[in-house]
Amino acid sequence: MFESLKQRWNRKKLTDERFAFLFDGVHEDEIVVYDCETTGLNPKKDNIISIGAVKIKGNKILTDQAIHIYVEQDEQINHESITIHQIRHCDLHGAIPAHEAIERFLYYIGNRKLAGYYLEFDVAMVNKYTKKLFGITLPNRQEEVSAIYYDKKIETIPQGHIDLRFDTILEDLKLPKLQAHDALNDAIMTAMIYLKLQHVRKL
């Protein structure tokens, strides 16, 4: 009930009807897994540098339909964030303005459910732009892969500490590790985690 009211209120705030499709009934056939690289960890003041996203349909990760978008930056990227994602200002050749990047991302995700690793942060980063540009926050249903992992793991070690670090989850699920701190590679690895977890009852 509350979620329905929240969605209706969000829909009323939409200022650009091009994106009304975001509020359509959920696209059940596909899920979008995405990841952002950012200038920092504060959605209020930091910006998105890149977005990587990939669709899952059935048991397949559709890497041939994946997107990897680099976003123009008005200021130099600070040294602290460069040490994490290895993206320097000079690496942004071919990057597009933030409003174009967000529009392209919205057209890509449509009304599909979103999944991710600590997805709440990535959603908050995108919402920073969608609020300013279109008056709304992302209405898409969301699923957190670390929570799925936790729920399956806690059955076997109910009193134990569960390590939710990304690399630990990959290793525990016996999944390959791709190049780290690349938004698209992180999205693909997260998609592999998501799919693997759909096929195990408990860990």
Side-chain angles (χ1 to χ4, degrees), residues 37-38 40-41 79-87 180-182:
E37 297 294 353
T38 64
L41 298 176
H79 176 72
E80 289 77 12
S81 64
I82 292 174
T83 60
I84 296 172
H85 48 60
Q86 309 299 316
I87 303 172
H181 301 304
D182 172 299

Side-chain angles (χ1 to χ4, degrees), residues 86-184:
Q86 309 299 316
I87 303 172
R88 302 162 298 171
H89 209 84
C90 62
D91 296 323
L92 295 177
H93 179 72
I96 60 178
H99 72 275
E100 290 184 23
I102 295 300
E103 287 189 11
R104 185 178 169 196
F105 176 69
L106 294 181
Y107 281 121
Y108 182 80
I109 66 173
N111 56 344
R112 297 169 180 84
K113 181 168 70 174
L114 304 175
Y117 176 76
Y118 288 104
L119 181 63
E120 184 178 358
F121 171 75
D122 293 312
V123 167
M125 289 301 303
V126 171
N127 283 343
K128 169 185 175 176
Y129 295 88
T130 57
K131 279 183 184 178
K132 181 179 178 181
L133 293 168
F134 313 119
I136 61 166
T137 57
L138 287 173
N140 307 63
R141 283 170 46 196
Q142 298 161 26
E143 199 162 6
E144 170 57 51
V145 296
S146 67
I148 303 171
Y149 176 81
Y150 180 90
D151 289 343
K152 291 180 184 290
K153 195 78 173 175
I154 199 68
E155 294 184 32
T156 56
I157 47 171
Q159 304 303 319
H161 167 72
I162 297 176
D163 188 344
L164 295 177
R165 287 176 296 179
F166 192 75
D167 288 353
T168 302
I169 296 173
L170 277 176
E171 184 177 350
D172 190 34
L173 295 177
K174 296 178 173 57
L175 293 169
K177 182 179 178 181
L178 307 179
Q179 181 180 345
H181 301 304
D182 172 299
L184 179 55

Side-chain angles (χ1 to χ4, degrees), residues 30-35 52-67 108 113-119 122 143-146 148-149 166 169-170 173-178 182-200:
E30 296 177 352
I31 296 166
V32 172
V33 182
Y34 88 97
D35 180 78
V54 66
K55 294 173 185 173
I56 296 175
K57 185 170 185 176
N59 290 318
K60 292 184 178 180
I61 300 171
L62 307 179
T63 53
D64 59 329
Q65 297 180 25
I67 59 170
Y108 182 80
K113 181 168 70 174
L114 304 175
Y117 176 76
Y118 288 104
L119 181 63
D122 293 312
E143 199 162 6
E144 170 57 51
V145 296
S146 67
I148 303 171
Y149 176 81
F166 192 75
I169 296 173
L170 277 176
L173 295 177
K174 296 178 173 57
L175 293 169
K177 182 179 178 181
L178 307 179
D182 172 299
L184 179 55
N185 281 341
D186 284 356
I188 291 171
M189 287 187 287
T190 305
M192 290 191 293
I193 291 171
Y194 181 87
L195 272 186
K196 186 73 176 280
L197 289 173
Q198 303 309 302
H199 296 287
V200 293

